[in-house]
Amino acid sequence: MNKKSIVLAAALLMTGTGVSVHAETLKYAFQGSLNALDPYSLNETFTLSSLGNAYEGLVRRGPDLVIEPALAESWEVLEPTRWRFHLRKGVKFHNGNDFNAEDVAFSVDRVRSEGSDLTTRVGADVKVEIVDDYTVDFVLTGPNPILHYEWDTFYIMDKEWTTENDAVKVTSASDTTPNYAALHANGTGPFKIASHEAGVKTVYEKFDGWWDEAKHNIDTVEFTPISSDATRVAALLSGELDMVYPIPVQDIKRINDNAGTVALTGPELRTIFLGMDQMRDELLYSDVKGKNPLKDARVRKAFYQAIDIEGIKKKVMRDLSTPSAIMISPFLFSKSGEFERYPYDPDAAKALLADAGYADGFSIGMDCPNDRYVNDEAICQAVAAMLARVGVKVDLNAQPKAKYFAKVLASGGFDTSLYLLGWTPGSLDSWNVLSNLMNCRDEAGKGSPFNLGGFCDEKIDSLTKDILVEIDPEKRDGLIAEAFKISHDNAYYIPLHQQGLAWGVSDKVKLVQRADNQFKFRFVTKN
């Protein structure tokens, strides 16, 4: 853990310290929109980061991503299968209601309920026992040394407020009739959401009743989604906005050369990858009928070897990416250096396709967001062109993230054949990747909800269970490496790269750029 913390701290860029005595308004933009305010609707970094300024978990992560106490002021492992959390007293929700153990138990039930996109935050077999108003026990069926590693984005909701407003049912990413919790927020965090127009503007106001000491000097925050790279950058350069992200890599020099702005860059922990439908007997979007070519490992490896990752790095990402051989950042796994990508080899890809019975190629639909990851649509266009060279015609469907996620996630019926996705493990640990992306699932998503392609390897499932309870670091890393090797050998996924962070910031603003790409207002000061 110490080595990991050092590596992560080195990956962070913090600009300035100190707090100005006068209050300020912070204006910023992101390439995508903030849609539903329900904190369990979408397991997506930008959404969780945005809502994490109003909501809080039992724990939180600091500037260096180290876990800190939040709504729980302390915790202890009474026995290997019983964790006790001592809750912070005197905490108020934004509407004035008291925070207590009932809210924790309620939130656990709700986050594991139908429609939630964060069901893996608390295992289905974990029981919650209320000891008293400010003490909660989590009773497990087996040891779990990383039980709370993802709880910085498992936000606690007010049971009374949610129930009174008939919002107990989670508004899923695919719901078209949002409930009260999707349109309003009531957290315990340093900022409350004063107004919200999905896709237009969200305004936050400082919460004077916050339990912690404010180290920011921000009174109001105005967020505006701006999908156009050029428009975002222009607004920053003109002084209209204080911070924008991401910024196009080709504009980094321009922003640095401009008086009054600076580009902050650094490594991100997110892995961008391609996933494939390996569950259906026939692909939803292909001219191959009666069978699914992606169930054949030769076809998946052909796709892999058709992709020129160095070309994507240089031409699309302008060198602001690190090609990856496995589905996790090398910062987060000690044995990542043991893995190598399949080499880019179009001839080998054609031979694999021919050997699998597709010498003439075939067509396939591909889903891609166009406002979620750095150069996401451009990456998909490059992949489509590369696959075309080996005889695979791609029908690219690039659309805003709201429509994209509503289509491809469990709530949309995993409606995809080939897709681009990004993943940052919330626990900063390999188990998160295996549990969320690589375990078997059913047609409804029970199991690994983000294994959108639905492949099933029982050996990986077994290893995932062993990894969760293994406390010897060396043995644990060996089990993780074995699981990643199985995935690599079978090309269950095609990892592409870890994208780099690129934010544009006014010289008047001091903030923390964390390697998990979460933007927290509590770290911001403005002169």
Side-chain angles (χ1 to χ4, degrees), residues 116-421:
S116 171
D117 202 33
L118 282 77
T119 55
T120 59
R121 289 297 190 275
V122 185
D125 56 353
V126 175
K127 295 181 179 179
V128 180
E129 295 181 359
I130 296 176
V131 179
D132 58 43
D133 284 349
Y134 294 98
T135 310
V136 177
D137 283 359
F138 288 80
V139 184
L140 321 179
T141 56
N144 180 357
I146 60 170
L147 174 70
H148 61 312
Y149 274 28
E150 296 183 59
W151 287 4
D152 59 310
T153 52
F154 163 38
Y155 303 131
I156 304 303
M157 299 187 69
D158 179 3
K159 177 182 179 180
E160 182 181 353
W161 175 84
T162 311
T163 303
E164 285 180 351
N165 288 292
D166 194 23
V168 173
K169 185 181 184 303
V170 177
T171 297
S172 79
S174 300
D175 284 340
T176 56
T177 54
N179 65 21
Y180 193 83
L183 302 173
H184 305 82
N186 181 38
T188 59
F191 291 84
K192 54 187 178 181
I193 295 180
S195 64
H196 172 66
E197 295 177 79
V200 180
K201 189 175 185 179
T202 302
V203 177
Y204 301 77
E205 292 179 353
K206 176 185 175 183
F207 177 43
D208 291 327
W210 190 37
W211 58 268
D212 201 2
E213 178 184 357
K215 295 181 180 180
H216 64 85
N217 72 335
I218 305 299
D219 253 9
T220 306
V221 179
E222 297 179 3
F223 162 66
T224 305
I226 302 177
S227 60
S228 166
D229 291 341
T231 304
R232 278 199 312 280
V233 171
L236 174 71
L237 296 177
S238 69
E240 181 183 349
L241 294 176
D242 301 305
M243 184 270 197
V244 300
Y245 76 119
I247 56 173
V249 290
Q250 61 268 25
D251 285 334
I252 290 175
K253 184 178 185 302
R254 180 185 173 201
I255 290 171
N256 280 331
D257 289 345
N258 179 65
T261 58
V262 63
L264 304 184
T265 61
E268 188 182 1
L269 302 178
R270 183 186 315 280
T271 301
I272 304 297
F273 62 91
L274 299 177
M276 299 159 279
D277 180 358
Q278 299 159 62
M279 187 179 208
R280 293 181 176 91
D281 292 329
E282 180 179 303
L283 292 175
L284 294 176
Y285 305 100
S286 175
D287 61 359
V288 178
K289 302 303 177 184
K291 57 182 176 178
N292 179 350
L294 296 178
K295 285 191 174 187
D296 191 322
R298 293 170 295 183
V299 175
R300 299 194 298 272
K301 290 178 182 178
F303 277 34
Y304 197 133
Q305 293 201 260
I307 295 172
D308 180 4
I309 195 63
E310 289 297 330
I312 291 175
K313 176 183 178 181
K314 289 180 172 60
K315 296 179 182 179
V316 178
M317 300 301 293
R318 306 288 183 97
D319 287 323
L320 199 66
S321 65
T322 303
S324 181
I326 55 175
M327 297 285 288
I328 194 167
S329 165
F331 288 128
L332 302 179
F333 182 46
S334 66
K335 294 182 178 291
S336 60
E338 298 178 3
F339 294 85
E340 292 185 2
R341 290 182 58 84
Y342 288 109
Y344 167 56
D345 190 336
D347 290 336
K350 290 178 182 178
L352 284 166
L353 286 171
D355 192 43
Y358 302 99
D360 296 328
F362 57 90
S363 69
I364 188 169
M366 180 180 185
D367 290 290
C368 182
N370 60 17
D371 63 352
R372 179 58 196 94
Y373 311 113
V374 177
N375 295 335
D376 42 16
E377 184 174 5
I379 294 170
C380 290
Q381 289 171 342
V383 167
M386 292 167 186
L387 289 175
R389 292 174 197 148
V390 300
V392 177
K393 180 183 178 182
V394 175
D395 181 14
L396 181 59
N397 178 28
Q399 54 187 338
K401 66 175 184 175
K403 292 183 178 179
Y404 168 78
F405 285 125
K407 182 177 188 291
V408 304
L409 294 180
S411 57
F414 304 106
D415 183 15
T416 186
S417 295
L418 174 67
Y419 60 93
L420 179 99
L421 197 64

Side-chain angles (χ1 to χ4, degrees), residues 33 48 51 92 123 168 354 359 375 412 415 431 460 519 522:
S33 61
L48 295 176
L51 296 180
K92 297 283 188 180
V168 173
N375 295 335
D415 183 15
W431 179 85
I460 293 180
F519 179 38
R522 62 189 173 96

Side-chain angles (χ1 to χ4, degrees), residues 77-122:
V77 183
L78 300 180
E79 53 190 72
T81 57
R82 182 179 289 270
W83 289 53
R84 175 160 291 177
F85 285 79
H86 301 279
L87 307 182
R88 196 175 298 277
K89 298 177 181 177
V91 174
K92 297 283 188 180
F93 285 96
H94 294 160
N95 69 346
N97 287 350
D98 292 323
F99 158 73
N100 57 38
E102 289 285 348
D103 300 308
V104 176
F106 168 78
S107 297
V108 170
D109 287 341
R110 191 173 188 274
V111 82
R112 296 188 295 194
S113 67
E114 181 183 359
S116 171
D117 202 33
L118 282 77
T119 55
T120 59
R121 289 297 190 275
V122 185

